[in-house]
Amino acid sequence: MWELIRVNKRNSILLLLAMAVCLLLLGFIIGMGVFGLEGGFFGLIIATVIWLILTAVSFSKGDQIFLLASKAKPVTHKVHPQLFNVVEEMKIAAALPAMPKIYIINDPAPNAFATGRSPKTASVAVTAGLLARLNRDELQGVIAHEISHILHRDILFVTLAGIMLGSIVLLSQVFLRGMFYSSMGSSRRYSSGGKGGGQAQIVMLVIAIVVAILAPIMAYLLYFALSRKREYLADAGAARLTRYPEGLASALGKIANDKSPQLASANKVTAPMYIVNPFKKKKQMKLSDLTSTHPPISERIRILRNMTHGASFKDYSNSFSAVTKTKTVVPPAALTKEDIALREASTEAKKKERHETQMRQVGDIMRRVNQFVFLTCLCGLKLKIPPNYKPDKVKCPRCKRNLDLPRK
Amino acid sequence: MIAIYIIAGVLVLLVIFVIGIYNALIRLRNQVKNAWSQIDVQLKRRHDLIPNLVETAKGYMKHERGTFEAITEARSKAMGANTVSEASKAEGALGEALSKFMLVVENYPELKANQNFLAVQEELTGTENKISFSRQSYNDQVLFFNNKIQMFPSNIIANMFNFTKRDFFEIEVEAEREVPKVSFS
């Protein structure tokens, strides 16, 4: 596990460096294409400034911005004791230095993500739809996957790489749009400004356009390739932490078969942070494998279910090779010999669940997040009282009894 | 003159290297200690939960006095244990009593519908899981620490400063092996 963290950190730094070079090169070439050689350094400075500002913002406030954008609400133990206990269980299993902050998102689509700068300041968010659908073992699997992202330092990487990607896209978009509009106006402006190097200037401009088109695509592909790998590793980590791969496998199965509309607050750059791709595809295409942020769910499930001998990284790696017929994604340093036995399912998981009552829970969870008071009348009717209801007595609509409201 | 500088430089590097490994070993040993105390925290939480559990369930399970007595007795024994082996035995017995209790609960549908009981039940499941996960995490830390002590080059520094291998947490009572699945339906 610790070897894996070290390898992950090194790979993250390499990728970030590659993207930084890509970004600076883009800035340089665009600047050179527009203003000549001195302009190249000007572009370099602009690119650096954009990147530094965005990185500073994302490093200090990135997780807050992201949580705010997904409309996640912080919750306490009282709101959802089970979620709290499960997160704490996984925090203990992973030996994280601090308890992650917990958020619930009011959305029926089942999904979850982790964010933050370091294991000390991490947050975990789940949707109400997820809580309503999963049993305890499945929830544990999903939370273990998110805690693995925190433990493997994926959260910082995704934030920084996402920002870098954003800067590259921003820079090339601004340039290409600028080119498009100015070429409609006067196409002579650039060549007349040059000091006799008109021909070379045009060549540079063409190169700049090509680079501006290609750089974001390359950055996207790089970003997605690494994020797919991280998903597998987080699955492996979840199996190792819970000793129970079936929990996550069955949770993924439920999420995959879900019919609710896709998550409202997600976009292509933030997508790698979620446990499953928040975008629903209409049809599966071959090319989409390259641009997909997550491995296919069916494959992830098959790998997890194929782990019959144990729950270590080595077991996951063996299962991965057997299922996908490709080389393992687990770095060799993490494949130390560990004997980790699987555990049994808890009996709760064996029970059949009733879907309707669970769906009603989605609303209840959100009402509790929004500080509604729950009261059960003597006649058995459950009353849900909004926080802005002022009187301290309420009449039961069915049996007309007067009920006292608990005061805080 | 140059030779002296080179030797001095090598010595400085060596000292930095030794300090680095020494600090890493100390950090790992503290992690092991911390993981061990985590187990105690969770066991204590289990002790604190039991009176609440008994209180909630008593009214519904009038005919199960024996079960309650077994739990209460095991609890006081676990709380009064002085040595490590005594404590681990008593905790094992307590876990066993609790899982028996949870099997009996199955026969009392009214109790299983009680909101207060459901809340205590979730806390107990959580605590039982936390106990087993803290043991698992302790063993992870011990494995890492022991590996570091035995592997070159850190083994030299570990020998110099008397770092010794830690024992894994192993469940002695055979029945305990199956315990941490206090499971409710």
Side-chain angles (χ1 to χ4, degrees):
Chain A
M1 182 160 53
W2 292 272
E3 295 83 356
L4 177 71
I5 293 169
R6 201 176 315 135
V7 173
N8 259 352
K9 274 184 181 166
R10 197 193 61 211
N11 286 350
S12 301
I13 292 171
L14 282 181
L15 180 89
L16 287 176
L17 278 179
M19 282 176 111
V21 168
C22 190
L23 175 69
L24 296 180
L25 206 67
L26 181 70
F28 185 73
I29 290 175
I30 288 178
M32 201 142 102
V34 179
F35 304 111
L37 191 60
E38 304 88 58
F41 294 103
F42 180 64
L44 199 68
I45 291 165
I46 296 275
T48 317
V49 168
I50 291 179
W51 172 54
L52 280 181
I53 290 174
L54 287 176
T55 305
V57 171
S58 69
F59 202 76
S60 55
K61 287 270 175 291
D63 50 344
Q64 293 306 317
I65 294 169
F66 187 47
L67 285 164
L68 215 65
S70 11
K71 300 197 183 70
K73 295 218 164 167
V75 293
T76 55
H77 182 276
K78 227 175 110 190
V79 174
H80 205 288
Q82 191 178 68
L83 174 64
F84 236 81
N85 283 338
V86 167
V87 173
E88 200 182 344
E89 283 161 25
M90 287 303 109
K91 174 243 164 194
I92 291 170
L96 291 185
M99 180 79 177
K101 288 197 254 345
I102 303 173
Y103 293 80
I104 295 182
I105 302 167
N106 184 12
D107 200 307
N111 220 326
F113 67 79
T115 181
R117 203 183 324 142
S118 71
K120 275 194 193 111
T121 58
S123 309
V124 174
V126 297
T127 62
L130 186 91
L131 289 173
R133 274 175 193 75
L134 304 187
N135 66 32
R136 205 176 197 285
D137 276 350
E138 291 161 347
L139 183 63
Q140 200 181 52
V142 170
I143 296 296
H145 174 99
E146 297 310 330
I147 296 282
S148 296
H149 274 314
I150 296 174
L151 189 65
H152 298 167
R153 311 296 193 275
D154 295 346
I155 45 173
L156 177 64
F157 161 75
V158 167
T159 314
L160 290 183
I163 289 298
M164 191 90 84
L165 181 61
S167 327
I168 291 176
V169 172
L170 184 76
L171 205 62
S172 70
Q173 283 293 322
V174 166
F175 169 66
L176 288 176
R177 295 231 169 126
M179 280 312 298
F180 182 71
Y181 290 122
S182 65
S183 70
M184 290 206 307
S186 70
S187 52
R188 294 240 180 126
R189 216 176 66 204
Y190 297 106
S191 48
S192 63
K195 295 165 193 160
Q199 202 74 20
Q201 187 73 45
I202 288 167
V203 173
M204 276 313 299
L205 200 58
V206 170
I207 292 176
I209 291 172
V210 171
V211 171
I213 292 169
L214 286 183
I217 297 173
M218 289 309 293
Y220 262 122
L221 292 183
L222 215 63
Y223 181 51
F224 293 156
L226 228 94
S227 95
R228 280 199 300 277
K229 195 177 155 190
R230 301 277 167 128
E231 287 304 317
Y232 285 122
L233 289 175
D235 281 356
R240 190 186 175 284
L241 288 180
T242 57
R243 315 296 208 231
Y244 187 62
E246 177 56 31
L248 180 58
S250 138
L252 288 174
K254 275 190 187 174
I255 295 172
N257 291 328
D258 181 69
K259 295 284 185 294
S260 39
Q262 71 178 30
L263 198 60
S265 53
N267 63 50
K268 194 86 178 157
V269 175
T270 59
M273 304 183 92
Y274 292 90
I275 184 165
V276 295
N277 196 345
F279 301 107
K280 308 225 162 170
K281 285 192 207 92
K282 288 194 185 70
K283 54 183 174 194
Q284 203 74 39
M285 287 183 296
K286 253 290 162 258
L287 187 72
S288 72
D289 283 352
L290 264 185
T291 60
S292 153
T293 53
H294 289 68
I297 292 189
S298 58
E299 191 179 286
R300 286 167 70 186
I301 295 174
R302 260 184 297 146
I303 295 169
L304 287 166
R305 293 226 160 110
N306 198 28
M307 295 173 70
T308 45
H309 301 296
S312 68
F313 279 125
K314 192 157 181 51
D315 292 307
Y316 186 87
S317 161
N318 291 342
S319 174
F320 180 90
S321 313
V323 169
T324 62
K325 310 264 186 309
T326 50
K327 237 178 74 208
T328 175
V329 280
V330 184
L335 294 178
T336 44
K337 179 98 184 71
E338 279 182 304
D339 263 338
I340 296 180
L342 299 167
R343 76 167 167 86
E344 292 268 304
S346 65
T347 37
E348 194 215 6
K350 292 172 191 155
K351 208 173 56 173
K352 254 182 106 78
E353 290 143 85
R354 292 205 314 276
H355 191 64
E356 332 85 78
T357 54
Q358 293 231 324
M359 280 320 289
R360 195 182 298 156
Q361 277 181 11
V362 178
D364 281 359
I365 291 165
M366 284 331 291
R367 285 192 195 94
R368 231 173 289 144
V369 171
N370 293 324
Q371 296 174 328
F372 274 53
V373 176
F374 286 70
L375 261 184
T376 315
C377 176
L378 289 170
C379 66
L381 192 72
K382 201 168 165 193
L383 281 83
K384 297 155 189 172
I385 298 136
N388 53 5
Y389 181 82
K390 286 285 174 280
D392 46 351
K393 281 201 187 296
V394 63
K395 203 173 209 172
C396 171
R398 195 199 280 166
C399 63
K400 310 294 180 214
R401 271 191 199 95
N402 268 323
L403 301 169
D404 285 328
L405 272 181
R407 283 290 131 197
K408 294 145 227 163
Chain B
M1 203 55 197
I2 293 168
I4 293 171
Y5 280 131
I6 290 175
I7 290 169
V10 167
L11 273 177
V12 167
L13 281 181
L14 203 68
V15 168
I16 291 172
F17 182 68
V18 168
I19 290 174
I21 291 186
Y22 178 79
N23 284 347
L25 284 170
I26 292 280
R27 200 174 55 238
L28 289 175
R29 196 170 63 185
N30 286 342
Q31 272 172 14
V32 170
K33 280 183 189 161
N34 181 39
W36 181 254
S37 62
Q38 269 296 319
I39 303 178
D40 282 342
V41 170
Q42 300 309 329
L43 288 176
K44 183 162 183 315
R45 189 184 287 184
R46 176 157 82 173
H47 298 160
D48 294 345
L49 271 175
I50 285 169
N52 205 344
L53 175 81
V54 172
E55 206 48 52
T56 327
K58 233 178 191 167
Y60 291 86
M61 302 166 73
K62 297 226 165 63
H63 309 292
E64 308 285 352
R65 188 170 292 168
T67 323
F68 287 124
E69 270 166 13
I71 293 177
T72 324
E73 204 188 296
R75 172 178 180 261
S76 52
K77 231 181 219 164
M79 287 176 81
N82 290 323
T83 66
V84 174
S85 70
E86 219 178 283
S88 103
K89 223 178 204 167
E91 291 297 346
L94 178 57
E96 220 177 312
L98 279 173
S99 56
K100 252 183 213 150
F101 168 75
M102 286 308 162
L103 282 179
V104 178
V105 167
E106 289 302 299
N107 305 328
Y108 295 85
E110 276 174 50
L111 178 60
K112 285 200 309 185
N114 181 315
Q115 289 297 318
N116 287 334
F117 180 71
L118 284 178
V120 183
Q121 202 181 27
E122 168 53 37
E123 285 315 302
L124 193 63
T125 317
T127 309
E128 291 293 335
N129 283 346
K130 282 169 206 163
I131 291 171
S132 64
F133 282 123
S134 56
R135 286 170 179 167
Q136 171 184 317
S137 160
Y138 171 77
N139 281 352
D140 282 351
Q141 305 289 350
V142 169
L143 176 74
F144 194 49
F145 180 67
N146 288 352
N147 280 350
K148 196 85 182 173
I149 281 186
Q150 286 170 301
M151 279 192 297
F152 184 81
S154 46
N155 62 345
I156 301 170
I157 287 104
N159 271 331
M160 269 163 64
F161 295 99
N162 281 328
F163 285 89
T164 45
K165 266 173 71 179
R166 291 301 180 107
D167 292 331
F168 288 102
F169 181 90
E170 275 170 88
I171 294 154
E172 288 151 38
V173 197
E174 196 55 34
E176 243 288 65
R177 279 178 197 283
E178 286 149 37
V179 160
K181 51 165 191 190
V182 167
S183 38
F184 317 104
S185 9

